[in-house]
Amino acid sequence: MNIVIYYGGRGIIDDPTLTVLTRLQKVLEELRVNVTRYNIYEHKNSIPTLPQTLNDADGIILATTVEWHGIGGYMTQFLDACWQFGNKEKIAGIYMMPVVMSRTYGEREAKLDLDVAWEILGGKPCSGICGYIENAVDLELNDAYGELIEKKAESLYRIVNQKANSFPASNKLVKQKIAVPQNVTLSPEENEQLSQYISDDTYVRKQKEDIQELASLFRNQMVENESQDTEEYLSELKSAFSAQAGIAGAFQIKIEGKRENLIIRVSGASMSCAYGNIDKPDVELDISKDCFEEIISGRMTFQRAFMSGAMKMKGEFRILCGLDQVFHF
């Protein structure tokens, strides 16, 4: 039989919980039980990995001290890790005895808190120990207290050895119906490593600086790309323009992939081109980028692109034909 003790207190010398655990461990070892004890405060940097130690346990003791309120931070972190990383199938077969000693009010509430937490995890809580102890020395010297502790240890041994049954609790129904934990893609070791990084102010500050640097780099690239995007094809149009008398019009060309339209204005000997929008153009064209580049390279004309269906047009066809006359690609 394997019993594992998890102590969630701070390990101060006169902690009455330590006195109780020492007596419990002695009795269990006399019953030839293999007892392993983990002081959680000694493993505070690797708490997410502690639930792995539950896998070989037949029963466990969750022990903590109420110093001012509740079960304390270390025990809470351990139970959180059991919820996130514990093997729920293994936990379902593990009996848990709570041990809570207090020098202030709240030992019964803390004991109940451990019972409820273990039930929600799917485990089997059994009768535990709780009490108000002002002086740990009185606990050591009081034979009546010692006898109570021994009986609790023997009771735990019998329950685990006989695999005692118990009535189902509503807490388990809550776990099945509502409190379903999210899938965790990180292993306990990876989660612990990430937690260490997050708690390192220097690392976090360096990460923020790197993010800002990357954001600035991408922003500059976007500005550069936008600048290039609004200059594309303009030089080719200007160099290919050849003035023709009697040809005038405003052309709005929507090129696939471009955020803004290409605007061409022709009036006799003058021509202007830029990206933007105009109201009521004479001709509106909708063309793919590949087809427009075919025209720019001289392998296609505006008229032929329209006739083949590669380009859509709205406006006067006569004015469209003027584009092929004033641009010699």
Side-chain angles (χ1 to χ4, degrees):
M1 182 188 299
N2 294 318
I3 300 292
V4 183
I5 299 173
Y6 298 95
Y7 168 66
R10 294 186 298 140
I12 56 179
I13 296 176
D14 59 344
D15 187 344
T17 304
L18 292 174
T19 303
V20 175
L21 291 182
T22 300
R23 193 69 171 263
L24 284 171
Q25 185 169 350
K26 180 180 178 181
V27 175
L28 289 171
E29 289 175 345
E30 290 175 354
L31 295 171
R32 296 184 180 180
V33 175
N34 181 28
V35 180
T36 305
R37 179 164 149 185
Y38 293 97
N39 297 321
I40 300 177
Y41 68 87
E42 295 177 352
H43 302 269
K44 59 184 178 182
N45 293 325
S46 57
I47 290 177
T49 64
L50 275 182
Q52 297 176 359
T53 61
L54 291 167
N55 294 339
D56 296 325
D58 299 302
I60 67 169
I61 297 173
L62 295 182
T64 190
T65 305
V66 178
E67 296 185 3
W68 75 280
H69 177 75
I71 62 176
Y74 291 134
M75 182 59 70
T76 299
Q77 290 180 53
F78 172 69
L79 291 171
D80 284 346
C82 290
W83 177 252
Q84 293 291 337
F85 307 113
N87 186 330
K88 302 302 191 299
E89 293 183 1
K90 293 285 186 180
I91 291 175
I94 298 176
Y95 294 88
M96 185 280 295
M97 184 177 82
V99 174
V100 180
M101 308 307 293
S102 171
R103 287 178 172 171
T104 182
Y105 174 81
E107 71 280 356
R108 295 183 183 275
E109 290 76 5
K111 174 178 172 294
L112 178 61
D113 197 10
L114 291 177
D115 285 335
V116 171
W118 196 249
E119 283 181 334
I120 292 177
L121 286 169
K124 303 176 180 179
C126 52
S127 178
I129 301 173
C130 71
Y132 170 81
I133 299 295
E134 187 174 358
N135 191 333
V137 176
D138 295 339
L139 180 60
E140 293 180 8
L141 299 179
N142 191 309
D143 293 337
Y145 291 159
E147 185 177 350
L148 287 174
I149 295 171
E150 290 177 3
K151 288 183 178 179
K152 287 294 183 180
E154 293 170 357
S155 175
L156 176 63
Y157 174 81
R158 285 194 297 270
I159 290 173
V160 175
N161 187 51
Q162 297 173 6
K163 299 187 181 302
N165 293 320
S166 60
F167 285 106
S170 60
N171 294 327
K172 293 185 179 180
L173 185 63
V174 171
K175 171 180 176 292
Q176 295 170 0
K177 299 292 185 181
I178 301 174
V180 180
Q182 296 180 351
N183 292 330
V184 178
T185 57
L186 297 178
S187 67
E189 292 81 2
E190 292 170 335
N191 185 79
E192 176 58 27
Q193 186 179 22
L194 181 61
S195 299
Q196 291 177 0
Y197 285 144
I198 292 174
S199 63
D200 187 342
D201 292 338
T202 303
Y203 175 82
V204 173
R205 185 166 56 254
K206 181 65 169 61
Q207 291 299 301
K208 289 181 178 179
E209 291 173 356
D210 290 343
I211 291 172
Q212 290 176 353
E213 184 177 349
L214 286 172
S216 177
L217 176 62
F218 288 135
R219 186 164 51 250
N220 292 337
Q221 287 181 347
M222 289 178 63
V223 171
E224 183 179 349
N225 291 337
E226 287 178 0
S227 177
Q228 293 176 351
D229 192 60
T230 56
E231 296 292 329
E232 193 174 15
Y233 308 132
L234 299 186
S235 60
E236 289 89 341
L237 290 168
K238 292 175 181 178
S239 61
F241 177 70
S242 177
Q244 299 290 330
I247 297 178
F251 304 86
Q252 179 170 280
I253 306 175
K254 182 179 180 181
I255 303 173
E256 182 183 9
K258 291 285 187 182
R259 283 176 295 186
E260 294 187 335
N261 299 321
L262 176 60
I263 307 301
I264 301 174
R265 289 185 173 90
V266 178
S267 180
S270 66
M271 188 277 297
S272 65
C273 56
Y275 284 92
N277 291 286
I278 58 174
D279 293 331
K280 297 181 179 180
D282 296 309
V283 175
E284 293 182 56
L285 304 177
D286 192 337
I287 189 171
S288 68
K289 183 179 178 67
D290 291 340
C291 185
F292 190 76
E293 290 181 349
E294 288 280 314
I295 295 173
I296 292 293
S297 63
R299 295 191 293 269
M300 177 75 71
T301 64
F302 286 102
Q303 184 176 348
R304 187 144 49 96
F306 172 68
M307 298 300 292
S308 64
M311 180 179 71
K312 297 178 181 179
M313 186 202 83
K314 183 188 295 184
E316 295 186 32
F317 182 73
R318 177 184 59 82
I319 300 177
L320 172 64
C321 295
L323 282 178
D324 290 323
Q325 297 179 38
V326 297
F327 289 108
H328 297 164
F329 296 109

